[in-house]
Amino acid sequence: MASVMVVDDSKVMRHNLRLMIEKGGHEVVAEAADGATAIQLYAEHKPDVVTMDITMPLMDGLGATREILTRYPEAKIIIVSALGQKIMILEAIEYGVKSYILKPFEDQKVLDTIEKVINPGHL
C-alpha cells in the first residue's frame, strides 16, 4: 500500500482519484487544489506518490513539480494531464517526474502507474 497525495484544481477529479486510489488499496494522505498548497502538504506528509495536474490556479503543476523535486529529489510524481498539454508533460519529464497519465484515463491505468512507480521492477 502506498501513501498518495492527489493534486488537481477540480474537486470532482480529486474525489474520483481518491475513490479509485483507495479502492486499489492505497491511502490518500492529502489533497491539494493548487501547486503552492501541494508543496506545503508534500513537506508535511512526504507521500510515496503524488498525482499532479498541470493546469491549476496560483501555482501550476509544473512549478509545484519543479519545487518539490528541487527540495525532495526522491519524490515520485505522476503527471495527470489533458491531451493538449504534451509540451508541458515533456517539460515535467525533464524535471524528473516518474510517469504521466493522459486525461481522460481508465482507473486501472492510474493504479498500474502508481504500482509501477512505487515498485519499478514488478510490472
Side-chain angles (χ1 to χ4, degrees), residues 16 19-21 23 105-113:
N16 290 343
L19 290 177
M20 173 196 334
I21 289 165
K23 184 178 176 185
F105 50 77
E106 295 176 12
D107 292 4
Q108 194 59 49
K109 171 70 173 170
V110 174
L111 295 173
D112 288 348
T113 303

Side-chain angles (χ1 to χ4, degrees), residues 4-7 14 18 27-32 41-42 45 47:
V4 182
M5 180 169 73
V6 175
V7 184
R14 288 194 313 272
R18 172 185 280 278
E27 178 185 12
V28 175
V29 295
E31 293 182 24
L41 291 175
Y42 187 89
H45 296 278

